Each structure stands twice: as C-alpha cells, then as structure tokens.
Amino acid sequence: MTLPAPSLRIDKWLWQARFFKTRSLAAKQVSDGKVRVNAVRITKPARTVGPGDVLTFVMGDDIRVVRVLALGARRGPAAEARLLYEDLAPPPTRAEAAEAASMSGAPVAIPGPRPTKKERRRFTISRGDLLE
C-alpha cells in the first residue's frame, strides 16, 4: 500500500512561509484568483500543495515565483520559513533597480550597500538634476 503524498492547504502554507501576515489574507488572495499552482489559476483556499509545486502570486508590486520544498509544521521564525521554499525569481540587480527608478521618476530603494559619495554624485549627474 502506498502512502499519500504529503500536502497542506495553500492558504496555510503561504501563511506559514510568511508571505502573508494572516491566513485570512492568504485565503483572500487565493479566492481572488491571484495565485497560480503549476501555472494553473486557483480560486479555492482548500487546494493542497506539496513539495515540488511551483507557486506564482502577487505580493505588493512584485510577482513572486517560488517552488515548495517542504511543508511546515508551524509558523516559525523567518529563518525557518525560508527553508520551506526556493525563490525562482531572483531579486532585481542594482542596475535594474536604478533604471526602474529613473524611468518612473519615483525614488526606489536600491538593494545592497550604501553608495559612496562619488556614486551618489554620478547618479545625480546622470539623472540631470545638477545640470540645471
């Protein structure tokens, strides 16, 4: 007799992996059709996921793509939650973030260490703020 594959409700897994602050927020995202499992849109929070499934969902202004590696037993600390998934969409590079900031005109936090005075000056000159 074969054992059934381990699975967990998607709303509970998203909450345990700390993508959403509450389980009801996770369930609302799923109900609104903003979550895909293996490229198939789902609308029921009771849909189960297991290791190997690929989830795509919107979180703020970003689209997250993650692969489920494990099912959690509880909602633990962030370090424990990061072990539950593999992020398939890498974060934007400094150049991509700077380009997005210059295109929108809005300030965007660039990941990484704080820029030096020389780098800040070069960035300001490239935007044309000091030329006028």
PDB file of all heavy atoms in Angstrom, residues 38-73:
ATOM      1  N   ASN A  38       1.491  25.603 -10.336  1.00  0.00           N
ATOM      2  CA  ASN A  38       1.960  24.931 -11.551  1.00  0.00           C
ATOM      3  C   ASN A  38       1.293  25.543 -12.787  1.00  0.00           C
ATOM      4  O   ASN A  38       0.790  24.838 -13.663  1.00  0.00           O
ATOM      5  CB  ASN A  38       1.719  23.422 -11.482  1.00  0.00           C
ATOM      6  CG  ASN A  38       2.472  22.797 -10.340  1.00  0.00           C
ATOM      7  OD1 ASN A  38       3.561  23.223  -9.991  1.00  0.00           O
ATOM      8  ND2 ASN A  38       1.883  21.786  -9.724  1.00  0.00           N
ATOM      9  N   ALA A  39       1.250  26.875 -12.847  1.00  0.00           N
ATOM     10  CA  ALA A  39       0.721  27.665 -13.963  1.00  0.00           C
ATOM     11  C   ALA A  39      -0.793  27.569 -14.135  1.00  0.00           C
ATOM     12  O   ALA A  39      -1.324  28.012 -15.144  1.00  0.00           O
ATOM     13  CB  ALA A  39       1.428  27.316 -15.263  1.00  0.00           C
ATOM     14  N   VAL A  40      -1.512  27.024 -13.171  1.00  0.00           N
ATOM     15  CA  VAL A  40      -2.970  26.933 -13.236  1.00  0.00           C
ATOM     16  C   VAL A  40      -3.554  27.825 -12.151  1.00  0.00           C
ATOM     17  O   VAL A  40      -3.235  27.673 -10.969  1.00  0.00           O
ATOM     18  CB  VAL A  40      -3.442  25.468 -13.037  1.00  0.00           C
ATOM     19  CG1 VAL A  40      -4.953  25.393 -13.030  1.00  0.00           C
ATOM     20  CG2 VAL A  40      -2.855  24.575 -14.093  1.00  0.00           C
ATOM     21  N   ARG A  41      -4.407  28.769 -12.562  1.00  0.00           N
ATOM     22  CA  ARG A  41      -5.033  29.683 -11.607  1.00  0.00           C
ATOM     23  C   ARG A  41      -5.988  28.907 -10.703  1.00  0.00           C
ATOM     24  O   ARG A  41      -6.761  28.081 -11.175  1.00  0.00           O
ATOM     25  CB  ARG A  41      -5.806  30.759 -12.348  1.00  0.00           C
ATOM     26  CG  ARG A  41      -6.395  31.809 -11.446  1.00  0.00           C
ATOM     27  CD  ARG A  41      -7.173  32.812 -12.233  1.00  0.00           C
ATOM     28  NE  ARG A  41      -6.313  33.380 -13.253  1.00  0.00           N
ATOM     29  CZ  ARG A  41      -6.239  34.667 -13.538  1.00  0.00           C
ATOM     30  NH1 ARG A  41      -7.001  35.512 -12.907  1.00  0.00           N
ATOM     31  NH2 ARG A  41      -5.431  35.094 -14.469  1.00  0.00           N
ATOM     32  N   ILE A  42      -5.909  29.187  -9.422  1.00  0.00           N
ATOM     33  CA  ILE A  42      -6.793  28.528  -8.473  1.00  0.00           C
ATOM     34  C   ILE A  42      -7.602  29.576  -7.725  1.00  0.00           C
ATOM     35  O   ILE A  42      -7.185  30.726  -7.590  1.00  0.00           O
ATOM     36  CB  ILE A  42      -6.018  27.643  -7.475  1.00  0.00           C
ATOM     37  CG1 ILE A  42      -5.011  28.477  -6.689  1.00  0.00           C
ATOM     38  CG2 ILE A  42      -5.323  26.518  -8.193  1.00  0.00           C
ATOM     39  CD1 ILE A  42      -4.440  27.751  -5.519  1.00  0.00           C
ATOM     40  N   THR A  43      -8.778  29.181  -7.246  1.00  0.00           N
ATOM     41  CA  THR A  43      -9.640  30.107  -6.505  1.00  0.00           C
ATOM     42  C   THR A  43     -10.138  29.520  -5.197  1.00  0.00           C
ATOM     43  O   THR A  43     -10.939  30.146  -4.522  1.00  0.00           O
ATOM     44  CB  THR A  43     -10.856  30.509  -7.365  1.00  0.00           C
ATOM     45  OG1 THR A  43     -11.565  29.337  -7.744  1.00  0.00           O
ATOM     46  CG2 THR A  43     -10.428  31.281  -8.588  1.00  0.00           C
ATOM     47  N   LYS A  44      -9.682  28.345  -4.857  1.00  0.00           N
ATOM     48  CA  LYS A  44     -10.127  27.714  -3.610  1.00  0.00           C
ATOM     49  C   LYS A  44      -8.964  27.601  -2.629  1.00  0.00           C
ATOM     50  O   LYS A  44      -7.970  26.945  -2.920  1.00  0.00           O
ATOM     51  CB  LYS A  44     -10.707  26.332  -3.890  1.00  0.00           C
ATOM     52  CG  LYS A  44     -11.955  26.406  -4.758  1.00  0.00           C
ATOM     53  CD  LYS A  44     -12.627  25.075  -4.831  1.00  0.00           C
ATOM     54  CE  LYS A  44     -13.809  25.136  -5.745  1.00  0.00           C
ATOM     55  NZ  LYS A  44     -14.999  25.627  -5.125  1.00  0.00           N
ATOM     56  N   PRO A  45      -9.094  28.231  -1.444  1.00  0.00           N
ATOM     57  CA  PRO A  45      -8.025  28.165  -0.449  1.00  0.00           C
ATOM     58  C   PRO A  45      -7.766  26.755   0.079  1.00  0.00           C
ATOM     59  O   PRO A  45      -6.718  26.493   0.645  1.00  0.00           O
ATOM     60  CB  PRO A  45      -8.509  29.075   0.675  1.00  0.00           C
ATOM     61  CG  PRO A  45      -9.580  29.914   0.083  1.00  0.00           C
ATOM     62  CD  PRO A  45     -10.159  29.136  -1.046  1.00  0.00           C
ATOM     63  N   ALA A  46      -8.700  25.850  -0.138  1.00  0.00           N
ATOM     64  CA  ALA A  46      -8.533  24.486   0.344  1.00  0.00           C
ATOM     65  C   ALA A  46      -7.684  23.641  -0.603  1.00  0.00           C
ATOM     66  O   ALA A  46      -7.367  22.487  -0.283  1.00  0.00           O
ATOM     67  CB  ALA A  46      -9.894  23.820   0.544  1.00  0.00           C
ATOM     68  N   ARG A  47      -7.268  24.178  -1.740  1.00  0.00           N
ATOM     69  CA  ARG A  47      -6.418  23.445  -2.686  1.00  0.00           C
ATOM     70  C   ARG A  47      -5.116  23.089  -1.979  1.00  0.00           C
ATOM     71  O   ARG A  47      -4.508  23.904  -1.309  1.00  0.00           O
ATOM     72  CB  ARG A  47      -6.153  24.344  -3.903  1.00  0.00           C
ATOM     73  CG  ARG A  47      -5.018  23.942  -4.821  1.00  0.00           C
ATOM     74  CD  ARG A  47      -5.347  22.698  -5.616  1.00  0.00           C
ATOM     75  NE  ARG A  47      -4.548  22.574  -6.825  1.00  0.00           N
ATOM     76  CZ  ARG A  47      -3.297  22.130  -6.879  1.00  0.00           C
ATOM     77  NH1 ARG A  47      -2.666  21.806  -5.796  1.00  0.00           N
ATOM     78  NH2 ARG A  47      -2.680  22.023  -8.030  1.00  0.00           N
ATOM     79  N   THR A  48      -4.693  21.854  -2.120  1.00  0.00           N
ATOM     80  CA  THR A  48      -3.491  21.413  -1.418  1.00  0.00           C
ATOM     81  C   THR A  48      -2.256  21.561  -2.309  1.00  0.00           C
ATOM     82  O   THR A  48      -2.332  21.475  -3.530  1.00  0.00           O
ATOM     83  CB  THR A  48      -3.614  19.948  -0.965  1.00  0.00           C
ATOM     84  OG1 THR A  48      -3.839  19.122  -2.100  1.00  0.00           O
ATOM     85  CG2 THR A  48      -4.738  19.797   0.037  1.00  0.00           C
ATOM     86  N   VAL A  49      -1.127  21.813  -1.649  1.00  0.00           N
ATOM     87  CA  VAL A  49       0.160  21.892  -2.323  1.00  0.00           C
ATOM     88  C   VAL A  49       1.118  20.955  -1.611  1.00  0.00           C
ATOM     89  O   VAL A  49       0.937  20.626  -0.437  1.00  0.00           O
ATOM     90  CB  VAL A  49       0.735  23.324  -2.329  1.00  0.00           C
ATOM     91  CG1 VAL A  49      -0.109  24.242  -3.178  1.00  0.00           C
ATOM     92  CG2 VAL A  49       0.892  23.866  -0.946  1.00  0.00           C
ATOM     93  N   GLY A  50       2.122  20.541  -2.328  1.00  0.00           N
ATOM     94  CA  GLY A  50       3.124  19.659  -1.754  1.00  0.00           C
ATOM     95  C   GLY A  50       4.498  20.000  -2.299  1.00  0.00           C
ATOM     96  O   GLY A  50       4.636  20.862  -3.175  1.00  0.00           O
ATOM     97  N   PRO A  51       5.513  19.346  -1.807  1.00  0.00           N
ATOM     98  CA  PRO A  51       6.872  19.600  -2.302  1.00  0.00           C
ATOM     99  C   PRO A  51       6.958  19.402  -3.813  1.00  0.00           C
ATOM    100  O   PRO A  51       6.420  18.445  -4.361  1.00  0.00           O
ATOM    101  CB  PRO A  51       7.714  18.564  -1.558  1.00  0.00           C
ATOM    102  CG  PRO A  51       6.928  18.262  -0.322  1.00  0.00           C
ATOM    103  CD  PRO A  51       5.487  18.368  -0.723  1.00  0.00           C
ATOM    104  N   GLY A  52       7.614  20.359  -4.477  1.00  0.00           N
ATOM    105  CA  GLY A  52       7.771  20.298  -5.921  1.00  0.00           C
ATOM    106  C   GLY A  52       6.813  21.209  -6.670  1.00  0.00           C
ATOM    107  O   GLY A  52       7.051  21.521  -7.840  1.00  0.00           O
ATOM    108  N   ASP A  53       5.725  21.656  -6.053  1.00  0.00           N
ATOM    109  CA  ASP A  53       4.782  22.555  -6.713  1.00  0.00           C
ATOM    110  C   ASP A  53       5.397  23.941  -6.871  1.00  0.00           C
ATOM    111  O   ASP A  53       6.139  24.405  -6.010  1.00  0.00           O
ATOM    112  CB  ASP A  53       3.481  22.673  -5.917  1.00  0.00           C
ATOM    113  CG  ASP A  53       2.612  21.428  -6.008  1.00  0.00           C
ATOM    114  OD1 ASP A  53       2.760  20.681  -6.990  1.00  0.00           O
ATOM    115  OD2 ASP A  53       1.794  21.208  -5.102  1.00  0.00           O
ATOM    116  N   VAL A  54       5.080  24.609  -7.973  1.00  0.00           N
ATOM    117  CA  VAL A  54       5.568  25.957  -8.237  1.00  0.00           C
ATOM    118  C   VAL A  54       4.390  26.915  -8.073  1.00  0.00           C
ATOM    119  O   VAL A  54       3.352  26.748  -8.715  1.00  0.00           O
ATOM    120  CB  VAL A  54       6.164  26.083  -9.652  1.00  0.00           C
ATOM    121  CG1 VAL A  54       6.579  27.519  -9.940  1.00  0.00           C
ATOM    122  CG2 VAL A  54       7.352  25.147  -9.799  1.00  0.00           C
ATOM    123  N   LEU A  55       4.561  27.911  -7.210  1.00  0.00           N
ATOM    124  CA  LEU A  55       3.511  28.888  -6.939  1.00  0.00           C
ATOM    125  C   LEU A  55       3.899  30.226  -7.540  1.00  0.00           C
ATOM    126  O   LEU A  55       5.052  30.651  -7.427  1.00  0.00           O
ATOM    127  CB  LEU A  55       3.303  29.064  -5.434  1.00  0.00           C
ATOM    128  CG  LEU A  55       3.063  27.811  -4.608  1.00  0.00           C
ATOM    129  CD1 LEU A  55       2.898  28.177  -3.146  1.00  0.00           C
ATOM    130  CD2 LEU A  55       1.839  27.086  -5.093  1.00  0.00           C
ATOM    131  N   THR A  56       2.938  30.899  -8.146  1.00  0.00           N
ATOM    132  CA  THR A  56       3.127  32.235  -8.679  1.00  0.00           C
ATOM    133  C   THR A  56       2.034  33.110  -8.092  1.00  0.00           C
ATOM    134  O   THR A  56       0.852  32.782  -8.204  1.00  0.00           O
ATOM    135  CB  THR A  56       3.017  32.245 -10.217  1.00  0.00           C
ATOM    136  OG1 THR A  56       3.893  31.252 -10.743  1.00  0.00           O
ATOM    137  CG2 THR A  56       3.370  33.599 -10.782  1.00  0.00           C
ATOM    138  N   PHE A  57       2.427  34.227  -7.469  1.00  0.00           N
ATOM    139  CA  PHE A  57       1.434  35.109  -6.860  1.00  0.00           C
ATOM    140  C   PHE A  57       1.987  36.516  -6.751  1.00  0.00           C
ATOM    141  O   PHE A  57       3.184  36.750  -6.871  1.00  0.00           O
ATOM    142  CB  PHE A  57       1.003  34.587  -5.479  1.00  0.00           C
ATOM    143  CG  PHE A  57       2.129  34.375  -4.521  1.00  0.00           C
ATOM    144  CD1 PHE A  57       2.496  35.354  -3.629  1.00  0.00           C
ATOM    145  CD2 PHE A  57       2.832  33.186  -4.510  1.00  0.00           C
ATOM    146  CE1 PHE A  57       3.538  35.170  -2.745  1.00  0.00           C
ATOM    147  CE2 PHE A  57       3.875  32.979  -3.634  1.00  0.00           C
ATOM    148  CZ  PHE A  57       4.233  33.971  -2.746  1.00  0.00           C
ATOM    149  N   VAL A  58       1.075  37.460  -6.559  1.00  0.00           N
ATOM    150  CA  VAL A  58       1.434  38.860  -6.432  1.00  0.00           C
ATOM    151  C   VAL A  58       1.604  39.190  -4.964  1.00  0.00           C
ATOM    152  O   VAL A  58       0.766  38.834  -4.138  1.00  0.00           O
ATOM    153  CB  VAL A  58       0.342  39.761  -7.053  1.00  0.00           C
ATOM    154  CG1 VAL A  58       0.664  41.220  -6.838  1.00  0.00           C
ATOM    155  CG2 VAL A  58       0.176  39.456  -8.524  1.00  0.00           C
ATOM    156  N   MET A  59       2.703  39.880  -4.660  1.00  0.00           N
ATOM    157  CA  MET A  59       2.962  40.326  -3.293  1.00  0.00           C
ATOM    158  C   MET A  59       3.393  41.777  -3.378  1.00  0.00           C
ATOM    159  O   MET A  59       4.520  42.069  -3.766  1.00  0.00           O
ATOM    160  CB  MET A  59       4.047  39.470  -2.654  1.00  0.00           C
ATOM    161  CG  MET A  59       3.848  39.235  -1.196  1.00  0.00           C
ATOM    162  SD  MET A  59       5.078  38.117  -0.568  1.00  0.00           S
ATOM    163  CE  MET A  59       6.055  39.285   0.316  1.00  0.00           C
ATOM    164  N   GLY A  60       2.488  42.693  -3.086  1.00  0.00           N
ATOM    165  CA  GLY A  60       2.794  44.110  -3.232  1.00  0.00           C
ATOM    166  C   GLY A  60       2.886  44.455  -4.708  1.00  0.00           C
ATOM    167  O   GLY A  60       1.954  44.212  -5.477  1.00  0.00           O
ATOM    168  N   ASP A  61       4.015  45.019  -5.120  1.00  0.00           N
ATOM    169  CA  ASP A  61       4.233  45.360  -6.530  1.00  0.00           C
ATOM    170  C   ASP A  61       5.026  44.286  -7.260  1.00  0.00           C
ATOM    171  O   ASP A  61       5.311  44.438  -8.444  1.00  0.00           O
ATOM    172  CB  ASP A  61       4.991  46.690  -6.635  1.00  0.00           C
ATOM    173  CG  ASP A  61       4.154  47.857  -6.163  1.00  0.00           C
ATOM    174  OD1 ASP A  61       2.906  47.732  -6.172  1.00  0.00           O
ATOM    175  OD2 ASP A  61       4.733  48.890  -5.782  1.00  0.00           O
ATOM    176  N   ASP A  62       5.401  43.234  -6.567  1.00  0.00           N
ATOM    177  CA  ASP A  62       6.242  42.191  -7.151  1.00  0.00           C
ATOM    178  C   ASP A  62       5.438  40.938  -7.460  1.00  0.00           C
ATOM    179  O   ASP A  62       4.451  40.633  -6.805  1.00  0.00           O
ATOM    180  CB  ASP A  62       7.367  41.802  -6.188  1.00  0.00           C
ATOM    181  CG  ASP A  62       8.295  42.963  -5.887  1.00  0.00           C
ATOM    182  OD1 ASP A  62       8.473  43.819  -6.768  1.00  0.00           O
ATOM    183  OD2 ASP A  62       8.832  43.002  -4.771  1.00  0.00           O
ATOM    184  N   ILE A  63       5.901  40.204  -8.458  1.00  0.00           N
ATOM    185  CA  ILE A  63       5.347  38.885  -8.752  1.00  0.00           C
ATOM    186  C   ILE A  63       6.339  37.875  -8.215  1.00  0.00           C
ATOM    187  O   ILE A  63       7.503  37.863  -8.599  1.00  0.00           O
ATOM    188  CB  ILE A  63       5.128  38.690 -10.253  1.00  0.00           C
ATOM    189  CG1 ILE A  63       4.082  39.677 -10.743  1.00  0.00           C
ATOM    190  CG2 ILE A  63       4.714  37.253 -10.544  1.00  0.00           C
ATOM    191  CD1 ILE A  63       3.843  39.632 -12.229  1.00  0.00           C
ATOM    192  N   ARG A  64       5.891  37.051  -7.292  1.00  0.00           N
ATOM    193  CA  ARG A  64       6.758  36.049  -6.671  1.00  0.00           C
ATOM    194  C   ARG A  64       6.543  34.706  -7.348  1.00  0.00           C
ATOM    195  O   ARG A  64       5.412  34.304  -7.613  1.00  0.00           O
ATOM    196  CB  ARG A  64       6.449  35.904  -5.172  1.00  0.00           C
ATOM    197  CG  ARG A  64       6.600  37.169  -4.351  1.00  0.00           C
ATOM    198  CD  ARG A  64       8.050  37.624  -4.253  1.00  0.00           C
ATOM    199  NE  ARG A  64       8.951  36.661  -3.713  1.00  0.00           N
ATOM    200  CZ  ARG A  64       9.371  36.616  -2.457  1.00  0.00           C
ATOM    201  NH1 ARG A  64       8.936  37.492  -1.594  1.00  0.00           N
ATOM    202  NH2 ARG A  64      10.216  35.697  -2.056  1.00  0.00           N
ATOM    203  N   VAL A  65       7.624  34.006  -7.609  1.00  0.00           N
ATOM    204  CA  VAL A  65       7.590  32.646  -8.153  1.00  0.00           C
ATOM    205  C   VAL A  65       8.450  31.808  -7.223  1.00  0.00           C
ATOM    206  O   VAL A  65       9.652  32.048  -7.097  1.00  0.00           O
ATOM    207  CB  VAL A  65       8.133  32.594  -9.596  1.00  0.00           C
ATOM    208  CG1 VAL A  65       8.054  31.177 -10.134  1.00  0.00           C
ATOM    209  CG2 VAL A  65       7.378  33.550 -10.493  1.00  0.00           C
ATOM    210  N   VAL A  66       7.822  30.848  -6.543  1.00  0.00           N
ATOM    211  CA  VAL A  66       8.543  30.019  -5.582  1.00  0.00           C
ATOM    212  C   VAL A  66       8.210  28.552  -5.803  1.00  0.00           C
ATOM    213  O   VAL A  66       7.133  28.212  -6.282  1.00  0.00           O
ATOM    214  CB  VAL A  66       8.213  30.409  -4.120  1.00  0.00           C
ATOM    215  CG1 VAL A  66       8.644  31.815  -3.817  1.00  0.00           C
ATOM    216  CG2 VAL A  66       6.751  30.234  -3.811  1.00  0.00           C
ATOM    217  N   ARG A  67       9.167  27.697  -5.462  1.00  0.00           N
ATOM    218  CA  ARG A  67       8.951  26.252  -5.502  1.00  0.00           C
ATOM    219  C   ARG A  67       8.847  25.761  -4.066  1.00  0.00           C
ATOM    220  O   ARG A  67       9.696  26.074  -3.231  1.00  0.00           O
ATOM    221  CB  ARG A  67      10.104  25.535  -6.201  1.00  0.00           C
ATOM    222  CG  ARG A  67       9.941  24.005  -6.175  1.00  0.00           C
ATOM    223  CD  ARG A  67      11.031  23.284  -6.923  1.00  0.00           C
ATOM    224  NE  ARG A  67      10.849  23.511  -8.349  1.00  0.00           N
ATOM    225  CZ  ARG A  67      11.784  24.016  -9.156  1.00  0.00           C
ATOM    226  NH1 ARG A  67      12.955  24.347  -8.678  1.00  0.00           N
ATOM    227  NH2 ARG A  67      11.554  24.198 -10.433  1.00  0.00           N
ATOM    228  N   VAL A  68       7.813  24.995  -3.781  1.00  0.00           N
ATOM    229  CA  VAL A  68       7.615  24.441  -2.447  1.00  0.00           C
ATOM    230  C   VAL A  68       8.644  23.341  -2.230  1.00  0.00           C
ATOM    231  O   VAL A  68       8.719  22.385  -2.998  1.00  0.00           O
ATOM    232  CB  VAL A  68       6.180  23.874  -2.294  1.00  0.00           C
ATOM    233  CG1 VAL A  68       5.994  23.256  -0.925  1.00  0.00           C
ATOM    234  CG2 VAL A  68       5.142  24.953  -2.546  1.00  0.00           C
ATOM    235  N   LEU A  69       9.454  23.495  -1.176  1.00  0.00           N
ATOM    236  CA  LEU A  69      10.455  22.477  -0.847  1.00  0.00           C
ATOM    237  C   LEU A  69       9.981  21.576   0.286  1.00  0.00           C
ATOM    238  O   LEU A  69      10.306  20.391   0.309  1.00  0.00           O
ATOM    239  CB  LEU A  69      11.773  23.139  -0.442  1.00  0.00           C
ATOM    240  CG  LEU A  69      12.489  23.949  -1.520  1.00  0.00           C
ATOM    241  CD1 LEU A  69      13.760  24.564  -0.952  1.00  0.00           C
ATOM    242  CD2 LEU A  69      12.803  23.075  -2.726  1.00  0.00           C
ATOM    243  N   ALA A  70       9.253  22.161   1.233  1.00  0.00           N
ATOM    244  CA  ALA A  70       8.806  21.393   2.393  1.00  0.00           C
ATOM    245  C   ALA A  70       7.512  21.979   2.923  1.00  0.00           C
ATOM    246  O   ALA A  70       7.134  23.104   2.599  1.00  0.00           O
ATOM    247  CB  ALA A  70       9.875  21.431   3.483  1.00  0.00           C
ATOM    248  N   LEU A  71       6.829  21.190   3.734  1.00  0.00           N
ATOM    249  CA  LEU A  71       5.613  21.646   4.402  1.00  0.00           C
ATOM    250  C   LEU A  71       5.963  21.950   5.848  1.00  0.00           C
ATOM    251  O   LEU A  71       6.653  21.171   6.500  1.00  0.00           O
ATOM    252  CB  LEU A  71       4.531  20.567   4.340  1.00  0.00           C
ATOM    253  CG  LEU A  71       4.183  20.075   2.931  1.00  0.00           C
ATOM    254  CD1 LEU A  71       3.186  18.947   3.015  1.00  0.00           C
ATOM    255  CD2 LEU A  71       3.649  21.209   2.089  1.00  0.00           C
ATOM    256  N   GLY A  72       5.516  23.071   6.332  1.00  0.00           N
ATOM    257  CA  GLY A  72       5.829  23.453   7.698  1.00  0.00           C
ATOM    258  C   GLY A  72       4.878  22.815   8.692  1.00  0.00           C
ATOM    259  O   GLY A  72       3.731  22.508   8.381  1.00  0.00           O
ATOM    260  N   ALA A  73       5.371  22.624   9.894  1.00  0.00           N
ATOM    261  CA  ALA A  73       4.531  22.105  10.962  1.00  0.00           C
ATOM    262  C   ALA A  73       3.921  23.241  11.762  1.00  0.00           C
ATOM    263  O   ALA A  73       2.922  23.056  12.453  1.00  0.00           O
ATOM    264  CB  ALA A  73       5.358  21.209  11.879  1.00  0.00           C
TER     265      ALA A  73
END
